[in-house]
Amino acid sequence: EMCIRDRSFILRELEKLGLEKVESQKKLEEFIIYYVLLLNLVSPLLKSSIAISIREDDLRLILNGMYFYWEIVEMREALIKLFLVLVRPLKNVVTSVDMVKFATENLLKDKNPRKLYIASFLSESSDDLGKKLSEMLPAPLDAQNEQALKDQLAVLLNLTLNPTLRKEMIEKKVGIAVYNNLKNTQNKQTFMNFTSESLVSLAEQLIIRTTLGNAENEKRLAELMIQDLVMLKNIKEKGAMSKLILTLIRSEDTIPVCLYEFDSEYEQWKSLPANTRLKKDKKKASFLDTELLQAGQKDILRNMLRDRIGADSEAEMVFDSNWKLIFKEQGPPPQNSPERFSQFFEAVGGKGPFIILMSGISEGKRVVVGGFTTSTFPVMPETLQSGQQLEIKSSPESLFFYYSEQKMYHFELKNKGESFGHINVDYCNCGACVLGNYFLSFSYSCSYSNSVGNVSMLKGLDNNVNYLSYSFFVDSIEVWASIQDAHTVAVSSDKETITPITKVAVAEHSWHSRDSPYNAFRSNAVFEVPSHISVKELIDCIVGETGIKLRLRKTGDVVAEEEEVKKLYDGDILDIQFEVGKEAAEAKTKGGYKPRVPILSCFEKLNGYIELINVAKASLSDWKNTKLAKLFDVYLEEVMQFSKLPNFFQFLMSNKKSKEIIFELLSGTPDADTTGKSAKELEAKERKWNTEYNEAFSCSSSIVSTLFQDKENLELRQQALKTSFISLILDRLGNLSGEKPRRWDSAEKTKEVTSEGKTDKNKSPQDKNKKARKGVGYSTQVGEIWDVDKYMEAKKAKNNQIGSLIMIVSNFIACEKWEPDDEFVKNLCESALLPLLEASMASSSLLEMAKEYELVSAYLNLIENFCKKEKLGALLLELDPHYVPAQREPLYEILARLNDLSDIFLKCMPKKEESEMEAEAPQKLAEQIKRCYKEVTQVVQRLHKEVKSEEMKSILSLPLPQAYRALLKDLRFGYTNMRDEHGNYKHFYSSQAQQEKTASQTKLIRLAQEFADLSNALPEEHTNAIFVRIDEERIDYMKAIVMGASNTPVSYTHLRAHETPEHLVCRLLLEKKKKKKK
């Protein structure tokens, strides 16, 4: 109380202002801020009210100090805070000053702009004073110069702090009037009358505060901005777009919140002014604060994990972080409980590294089993499907353990590349978590069971353990996750990400504005928080910590996390104190929330985005970087076309990345001045914006693909066809891939049989005039260095774009209710789609195709969807010869060849053991090719297009060289049984085969890869050919016939069954030597 009453230091310093040069300004400013903070903190805690004897002369002295320090912003703001805290009543602190009387006599009489500005703050708690002040002001923006306009806007903005006055200003449409008065109606070369950023900022705040919350005003403002966007297309000066219109489009209704930090560990309050950052002492990381493990067991597990992770591994940070309990099941998991299964999945989805502990009784003894991995759980899909098996990937550090009172065992997976576990889903959306090939499992479904002890697929690390008891009664399950920056979980794309004040200074927080009038009423920073968010989102976005308590300062009540902020708001600044205790921990994710932008919603309903995109396209013509301008022009054109689909813009603008790109294009950010930049900096900038473009394109394509995933929506497809949407996608595919579209040539075509036994169409004049390429492939660009990384990056981006477009077409035709008409089929035939599929699938190497697995998989999915439509299935066969350029090989024959390659590859794969990681993509691709070919074969049989007999007649009429290739090319490679009737190998190395029962896994995978390519690489000429056969059971045993060309050592012989290549060379040299002697 003594400190509150004693203001003598402040007043003595202010009395010196005219007498000497003030050298203690900073000290005085800090003392004022501390004094105001003390009043705000202590006043609610006082047991009884105290009175501050303040004289009007003291207040005038403070006002004189304001005028003296007016140009020194920090000091002026400090004195305004002091003035307001002494004049406006506080809880348990009273003064004898009549605020309205003092303001009327000392601030309103001479209409001084500075005095009116100070008076406008007092109107926050006085309707009478506010009305007097508003009557003195002219119409909005009716002033002589820019400074007068700023003063007027600042006063109007402060008046909106009073709820009654703000309501009146909304009804009078003050925001609409201010917006209209900002525009320049005389000069058609500029959009705004004013260019001052501070003036525009004040206008933005005033428009937002007098528009949002009133549906009529929001709609009217959206209509005006759409009209202005039309005008902006023809105006070169588009800076106003980023300064005003874009800010208004993204604006949200907010509530003022002031935070006070109380450190319960040290029992003290801490100030939180705008120039500070919330600092926290680094607390010692905790490892598994669980009661399931005994202290000794916990130490052994920690040491075991340290040994597996290694001191030099990046995963060492696992032990520098806290471990949080993210899910707990007390007792056995309830059976047939989809709700509890969903709760488990939602709790653990995307989390990792993690440890699962399952405690129970086995043979009368307490046992804890568990598993650890640095990987993450799969994210729970939006809809669960029966039979789903979601993989939990393994990591080199993965570990399983079995602890009892007497025994402690540790295990790892036997084979590299095996899954750590799976989350299985049954027919009623229940499921189970299975780890280590049923080393442990717990189930919420009757289809699975709780089990432990299966070590048949695990490798013991301590000693050879072949058996553990399967008898186990579960009494508790815990899932712990490591909290660390290296494994943060991304906020979903439709959320705004906010960096908390533990990472940045308060002044840099996106919810704090230095220009906000609320700052005058508190010494601590005031945040303008979206009114619709929850208390938990407020904690995440501002404080950035979990496990803290929030209390209302006025009542001291603890606030529930699920409470909405707007329900706590009573019209005044919402004062909240947060207690950071020992349980506080840094949040695992960056704070995020889903915005509500009412003007944006009006824009969508009024189709305002069309004009928004038109303005962005028009602005590209002024860019200096024409390459980037051309790139983004393509993107904007696609967005414009995509917008014809219902709900596209709703999805687009809910995606943070897409929204940012469009706004950056409107403001010209990518074309920023590059003067003085080095070549390296320019290249980095160009690469950055290329990446931004690729991400934006991927996002818009994914949205369209998602729209077409609704297989029942026939109306959507009809709308797409009506707007030529599919034609746009097909044209884009041609531009990206470089494949030329086919065209219909009405001239009569003749068929000729080629040397390969296929029918070949007449070549187009362009094809006939093409000359064979010459040269050895050296570049003429001497001195240039080929950037491999840049090339691979560009190729990956291109493949991603092509894959996205293929998925759109695939999802489009997957509708069961829709059937393609002749016009649609004609468009496909005359597009680049079929040439692209033929060229991409014609590769003779399964391994090369597997390097682009995602793209090739998308091609195969499209072909499978073709098979479901009779008219589209016909496109897999030979096309009409009138289409040029001529089709080299129909898709059916290409897939038949790929099916043979897949057969060879899969037969060579190990049958029982899991393959290594490098074989994963080829194996998955081979399996998908076989599934696809099966469906294609059914289509061929259904359409009765078998032409084998006609082809055979044509082949037999060919000369010997052509006929030989056509008949024997498919016999070059195959499998056979090399055992006799007694089961013994008929092979030179039969004794070795009996000793070595199986080849090594590495050798088998390598052979599988080589054989898949070898089947199409062997020569097939009648003068020189090679035919290879492999044993069906042992692919490392083979036989071959080699027929060499004329006049070569092998022209008269063949490779004998028992010979190796080295034996063959020696025998041929000996035979040649004997021939010379004769």
Side-chain angles (χ1 to χ4, degrees):
E1 290 184 22
M2 290 177 58
C3 189
I4 291 175
R5 296 176 190 278
D6 186 10
R7 306 169 309 284
S8 56
F9 171 78
I10 299 174
L11 298 176
R12 282 199 308 271
E13 290 297 317
L14 291 175
E15 286 175 350
K16 299 178 183 177
L17 290 179
L19 305 176
E20 61 184 59
K21 185 177 180 180
V22 179
E23 296 180 354
S24 58
Q25 172 211 323
K26 194 66 180 175
K27 181 180 178 183
L28 177 59
E29 176 193 331
E30 290 175 354
F31 188 87
I32 292 173
I33 292 294
Y34 181 77
Y35 179 77
V36 174
L37 174 66
L38 191 66
L39 276 176
N40 280 300
L41 290 177
V42 175
S43 61
L45 306 178
L46 297 175
K47 294 180 180 179
S48 59
S49 296
I50 62 171
I52 298 179
S53 58
I54 186 77
R55 300 173 302 163
E56 291 190 3
D57 287 344
D58 295 334
L59 295 178
R60 293 189 189 97
L61 187 60
I62 296 173
L63 288 175
N64 290 334
M66 284 187 221
Y67 306 146
F68 185 86
Y69 284 116
W70 197 264
E71 301 302 326
I72 303 175
V73 179
E74 292 81 3
M75 189 65 183
R76 180 187 73 204
E77 291 176 348
L79 287 167
I80 290 177
K81 293 176 191 288
L82 176 65
F83 179 77
L84 293 176
V85 82
L86 292 176
V87 174
R88 294 171 67 254
L90 285 173
K91 183 178 180 180
N92 296 327
V93 177
V94 295
T95 63
S96 57
V97 175
D98 186 333
M99 181 182 69
V100 177
K101 179 182 176 183
F102 178 85
T104 303
E105 294 177 353
N106 294 274
L107 299 174
L108 301 184
K109 278 188 177 180
D110 55 2
K111 297 185 179 181
N112 182 291
R114 294 179 178 177
K115 293 182 179 180
L116 294 179
Y117 176 70
I118 298 168
S120 66
F121 284 110
L122 298 176
S123 66
E124 184 265 346
S125 56
S126 172
D127 293 351
D128 293 338
L129 184 59
K131 289 178 180 179
K132 288 183 180 180
L133 186 56
S134 59
E135 291 171 358
M136 299 174 62
L137 296 175
L141 298 189
D142 184 11
Q144 300 298 321
N145 55 62
E146 197 166 282
Q147 184 57 51
L149 288 172
K150 287 183 184 179
D151 295 337
Q152 184 183 352
L153 287 171
V155 171
L156 286 170
L157 183 61
N158 288 346
L159 291 179
T160 64
L161 301 178
N162 184 301
T164 304
L165 297 177
R166 182 186 179 187
K167 184 178 179 181
E168 291 179 1
M169 294 171 76
I170 291 174
E171 292 173 352
K172 293 179 181 178
K173 303 185 186 303
V174 171
I176 303 297
V178 171
Y179 176 80
N180 282 325
N181 289 338
L182 280 174
K183 293 183 294 185
N184 185 352
T185 57
Q186 305 297 327
N187 188 347
K188 295 185 178 181
Q189 295 304 311
T190 58
F191 179 73
M192 295 183 66
N193 282 315
F194 315 103
T195 58
S196 168
E197 290 189 8
S198 58
L199 189 150
V200 173
S201 176
L202 287 169
E204 288 168 355
Q205 293 183 65
L206 181 58
I207 294 169
I208 291 170
R209 290 189 60 78
T210 55
T211 301
L212 295 187
N214 183 287
E216 182 182 350
N217 287 357
E218 291 167 357
K219 181 180 179 181
R220 180 55 186 157
L221 184 59
E223 291 172 343
L224 289 173
M225 288 193 289
I226 291 172
Q227 295 172 11
D228 294 335
L229 286 169
V230 176
M231 183 179 71
L232 270 173
K233 285 189 292 186
N234 303 316
I235 294 178
K236 288 188 177 182
E237 191 277 304
K238 294 183 174 64
M241 186 61 65
S242 59
K243 293 179 181 177
L244 180 64
I245 294 184
L246 295 182
T247 303
L248 297 177
I249 288 174
R250 293 180 287 179
S251 59
E252 298 180 81
D253 192 23
T254 59
I255 288 173
V257 174
C258 184
L259 295 180
Y260 299 84
E261 179 190 4
F262 181 75
D263 195 326
S264 57
E265 185 173 358
Y266 297 100
E267 293 293 324
Q268 65 179 14
W269 288 96
K270 295 184 178 181
S271 61
L272 198 65
N275 60 345
T276 62
R277 172 176 162 182
L278 189 63
K279 295 181 180 179
K280 297 296 161 203
D281 296 330
K282 186 175 180 181
K283 298 178 177 63
K284 185 178 180 180
S286 60
F287 178 73
L288 294 191
D289 188 16
T290 177
E291 296 180 357
L292 299 185
L293 292 174
Q294 298 175 8
Q297 293 174 338
K298 194 183 302 184
D299 291 339
I300 289 174
L301 176 61
R302 184 186 179 98
N303 294 333
M304 192 71 185
L305 294 182
R306 278 196 178 278
D307 291 341
R308 290 188 65 76
I309 290 173
D312 298 328
S313 172
E314 290 183 0
E316 174 70 7
M317 68 180 69
V318 169
F319 298 102
D320 294 331
S321 60
N322 287 302
W323 285 79
K324 180 182 178 183
L325 181 64
I326 59 174
F327 180 80
K328 183 173 183 177
E329 190 71 73
Q330 195 66 43
Q335 298 294 296
N336 283 340
S337 176
E339 295 83 8
R340 189 57 178 163
F341 176 64
S342 295
Q343 291 173 6
F344 159 72
F345 209 156
E346 289 176 357
V348 303
K351 305 294 196 316
F354 66 86
I355 293 176
I356 288 184
L357 301 175
M358 191 159 75
S359 172
I361 304 299
S362 176
E363 297 181 343
K365 298 177 182 178
R366 169 68 56 186
V367 170
V368 178
V369 295
F372 161 84
T373 182
T374 56
S375 301
T376 60
F377 279 101
V379 177
M380 182 178 179
E382 293 184 4
T383 56
L384 296 174
Q385 298 178 2
S386 176
Q388 270 184 313
Q389 190 178 60
L390 298 120
E391 180 187 17
I392 306 173
K393 293 186 177 180
S394 183
S395 64
E397 303 86 5
S398 296
L399 178 76
F400 300 92
F401 49 91
Y402 182 101
Y403 291 169
S404 66
E405 293 179 2
Q406 292 84 17
K407 301 176 182 179
M408 283 180 272
Y409 301 121
H410 302 90
F411 307 88
E412 65 180 1
L413 295 168
K414 275 188 178 180
N415 302 310
K416 293 181 179 179
E418 281 189 314
S419 299
F420 181 80
H422 294 88
I423 294 180
N424 300 332
V425 183
D426 69 4
Y427 62 93
C428 60
N429 287 347
C430 299
C433 180
V434 179
L435 302 183
N437 292 306
Y438 285 92
F439 169 72
L440 74 88
S441 67
F442 55 91
S443 171
Y444 297 89
S445 164
C446 290
S447 301
Y448 305 94
S449 61
N450 304 317
S451 65
V452 301
N454 181 12
V455 296
S456 61
M457 301 300 290
L458 300 180
K459 176 183 176 183
L461 297 177
D462 311 281
N463 43 45
N464 192 14
V465 181
N466 297 319
Y467 173 79
L468 290 174
S469 175
Y470 284 30
S471 172
F472 191 84
F473 178 79
V474 181
D475 60 18
S476 185
I477 300 170
E478 292 182 356
V479 183
W480 294 78
S482 172
I483 302 173
Q484 53 181 322
D485 292 338
H487 296 272
T488 56
V489 181
V491 179
S492 60
S493 58
D494 63 342
K495 289 189 175 183
E496 289 282 355
T497 302
I498 307 295
T499 305
I501 54 177
T502 51
K503 302 290 186 182
V504 297
V506 173
E508 298 174 16
H509 194 277
S510 57
W511 287 349
H512 175 76
S513 172
R514 184 182 180 85
D515 299 329
S516 173
Y518 291 113
N519 294 326
F521 298 95
R522 298 292 186 271
S523 56
N524 276 8
V526 178
F527 301 87
E528 296 193 48
V529 174
S531 59
H532 66 278
I533 69 172
S534 66
V535 171
K536 182 182 185 307
E537 289 172 323
L538 182 145
I539 298 171
D540 291 343
C541 293
I542 298 183
V543 184
E545 295 195 350
T546 59
I548 67 175
K549 295 179 182 179
L550 261 69
R551 298 178 184 272
L552 292 177
R553 292 203 65 243
K554 287 184 178 180
T555 62
D557 297 333
V558 176
V559 183
E561 287 190 343
E562 62 272 9
E563 191 82 50
E564 283 190 356
V565 174
K566 64 182 177 183
K567 292 183 179 180
L568 306 174
Y569 184 57
D570 60 0
D572 195 3
I573 295 174
L574 185 58
D575 292 307
I576 296 179
Q577 64 186 43
F578 63 96
E579 295 185 18
V580 184
K582 296 180 181 179
E583 299 300 320
E586 188 174 337
K588 191 173 180 65
T589 63
K590 286 185 177 181
Y593 75 104
K594 192 170 184 177
R596 283 186 192 170
V597 277
I599 298 179
L600 193 65
S601 300
C602 292
F603 244 65
E604 183 181 358
K605 293 176 183 177
L606 298 170
N607 295 322
Y609 285 118
I610 295 176
E611 297 304 332
L612 202 65
I613 301 303
N614 282 333
V615 174
K617 284 176 65 66
S619 68
L620 297 177
S621 59
D622 299 328
W623 282 21
K624 296 176 183 177
N625 191 328
T626 55
K627 186 176 178 180
L628 274 181
K630 185 177 180 181
L631 189 68
F632 282 109
D633 185 68
V634 173
Y635 167 70
L636 291 173
E637 182 60 35
E638 286 174 345
V639 169
M640 181 70 75
Q641 296 299 325
F642 290 172
S643 67
K644 296 176 183 178
L645 295 177
N647 300 322
F648 172 78
F649 263 121
Q650 178 182 350
F651 283 95
L652 185 74
M653 298 314 290
S654 67
N655 182 275
K656 186 172 182 288
K657 173 58 68 176
S658 298
K659 187 166 55 177
E660 286 178 352
I661 284 288
I662 290 178
F663 290 149
E664 284 170 338
L665 294 179
L666 286 165
S667 59
T669 304
D671 194 50
D673 186 21
T674 57
T675 306
K677 301 289 185 181
S678 65
K680 190 174 182 180
E681 290 174 323
L682 293 175
E683 183 181 356
K685 179 189 174 185
E686 184 174 341
R687 184 171 291 191
K688 172 187 178 296
W689 285 108
N690 278 326
T691 302
E692 294 282 335
Y693 163 77
N694 292 329
E695 290 180 3
F697 176 87
S698 176
C699 174
S700 57
S701 300
S702 297
I703 291 172
V704 175
S705 182
T706 302
L707 291 174
F708 285 126
Q709 281 181 358
D710 184 357
K711 297 181 179 180
E712 303 296 321
N713 196 335
L714 180 60
E715 183 180 349
L716 176 65
R717 286 157 176 80
Q718 292 172 341
Q719 176 71 14
L721 292 173
K722 185 178 179 180
T723 58
S724 302
F725 176 80
I726 293 299
S727 297
L728 169 72
I729 299 298
L730 295 176
D731 290 343
R732 185 78 174 103
L733 270 173
N735 293 333
L736 275 173
S737 65
E739 294 292 338
K740 293 182 179 179
R742 290 194 173 102
R743 58 182 177 82
W744 179 268
D745 189 347
S746 58
E748 185 178 355
K749 299 292 175 181
T750 59
K751 292 185 179 181
E752 296 179 358
V753 181
T754 67
S755 60
E756 297 182 356
K758 302 187 186 70
T759 56
D760 192 17
K761 279 65 67 179
N762 281 359
K763 294 182 178 181
S764 64
Q766 294 89 337
D767 293 335
K768 290 181 179 179
N769 295 330
K770 281 184 181 178
K771 294 182 179 180
R773 295 181 179 178
K774 297 182 178 180
V776 293
Y778 293 107
S779 171
T780 57
Q781 297 174 318
V782 180
E784 291 192 9
I785 299 176
W786 183 42
D787 190 336
V788 179
D789 292 337
K790 189 174 181 180
Y791 167 79
M792 295 303 295
E793 184 180 322
K795 184 180 180 182
K796 181 180 178 181
K798 176 182 167 183
N799 286 349
N800 288 339
Q801 293 177 26
I802 292 175
S804 298
L805 296 176
I806 290 292
M807 284 299 297
I808 291 175
V809 179
S810 184
N811 288 342
F812 178 89
I813 65 178
C815 178
E816 296 179 0
K817 298 179 181 179
W818 175 80
E819 287 295 332
D821 56 18
D822 293 338
E823 183 65 24
F824 184 86
V825 175
K826 181 175 180 289
N827 288 338
L828 289 185
C829 291
E830 296 183 355
S831 72
L833 178 60
L834 293 180
L836 171 62
L837 293 176
E838 293 160 10
S840 302
M841 307 295 289
S843 172
S844 61
S845 172
L846 189 67
L847 300 181
E848 288 300 317
M849 294 174 68
K851 292 178 181 178
E852 299 176 352
Y853 170 73
E854 289 80 7
L855 180 59
V856 178
S857 179
Y859 291 148
L860 293 170
N861 287 330
L862 176 60
I863 293 173
E864 288 179 24
N865 283 328
F866 271 17
C867 295
K868 298 173 183 176
K869 309 290 181 183
E870 186 170 334
K871 289 185 177 181
L872 299 183
L875 300 180
L876 305 177
L877 305 175
E878 188 174 301
L879 293 181
D880 193 299
H882 285 86
Y883 281 111
V884 293
Q887 186 183 41
R888 295 182 178 276
E889 190 178 11
L891 278 169
Y892 169 64
E893 294 186 10
I894 295 173
L895 282 167
R897 189 171 66 251
L898 289 176
N899 183 67
D900 293 340
L901 291 177
S902 301
D903 265 336
I904 295 169
F905 182 82
L906 293 175
K907 285 181 179 178
C908 295
M909 294 297 295
K911 294 181 180 180
K912 296 182 180 180
E913 296 183 356
E914 291 287 334
S915 60
E916 294 180 353
M917 289 297 291
E918 62 174 318
E920 182 179 345
Q923 184 173 353
K924 289 164 64 178
L925 182 60
E927 292 169 350
Q928 188 176 2
I929 288 173
K930 289 187 66 64
R931 291 195 303 270
C932 181
Y933 179 69
K934 183 178 179 181
E935 293 196 27
V936 172
T937 303
Q938 293 172 356
V939 171
V940 172
Q941 294 172 351
R942 188 170 66 243
L943 295 176
H944 305 292
K945 292 289 185 177
E946 298 291 346
V947 291
K948 293 293 182 182
S949 58
E950 293 297 324
E951 285 187 359
M952 183 60 69
K953 292 178 182 178
S954 301
I955 291 171
L956 292 176
S957 64
L958 291 171
L960 177 60
Q962 291 93 326
Y964 188 93
R965 284 196 297 270
L967 291 171
L968 298 181
K969 64 173 184 174
D970 293 333
L971 301 177
R972 291 172 292 171
F973 190 91
Y975 292 86
T976 187
N977 185 355
M978 296 185 185
R979 293 180 184 268
D980 59 20
E981 62 274 12
H982 303 294
N984 299 319
Y985 270 100
K986 296 185 293 183
H987 200 282
F988 181 78
Y989 293 105
S990 57
S991 59
Q992 187 173 337
Q994 296 297 334
Q995 295 173 2
E996 297 177 359
K997 297 299 181 183
T998 58
S1000 69
Q1001 184 172 312
T1002 303
K1003 181 179 180 180
L1004 291 176
I1005 292 174
R1006 183 62 181 169
L1007 286 172
Q1009 295 170 345
E1010 293 295 336
F1011 290 161
D1013 293 341
L1014 184 65
S1015 60
N1016 280 323
L1018 295 171
E1020 56 188 23
E1021 301 299 326
H1022 76 293
T1023 57
N1024 55 310
I1026 300 177
F1027 298 89
V1028 175
R1029 291 295 179 268
I1030 299 173
D1031 183 57
E1032 292 176 344
E1033 297 181 4
R1034 291 289 302 270
I1035 66 170
D1036 54 333
Y1037 284 84
M1038 63 198 75
K1039 297 182 180 182
I1041 295 176
V1042 180
M1043 292 182 291
S1046 301
N1047 300 319
T1048 66
V1050 292
S1051 60
Y1052 52 85
T1053 187
H1054 65 274
L1055 180 64
R1056 296 172 183 169
H1058 63 277
E1059 284 185 323
T1060 64
E1062 292 79 4
H1063 293 157
L1064 171 65
V1065 172
C1066 292
R1067 181 166 61 82
L1068 294 177
L1069 289 174
L1070 287 172
E1071 290 181 5
K1072 188 174 182 181
K1073 186 175 182 181
K1074 290 178 183 178
K1075 194 172 183 180
K1076 283 184 178 181
K1077 287 182 178 180
K1078 291 180 181 180

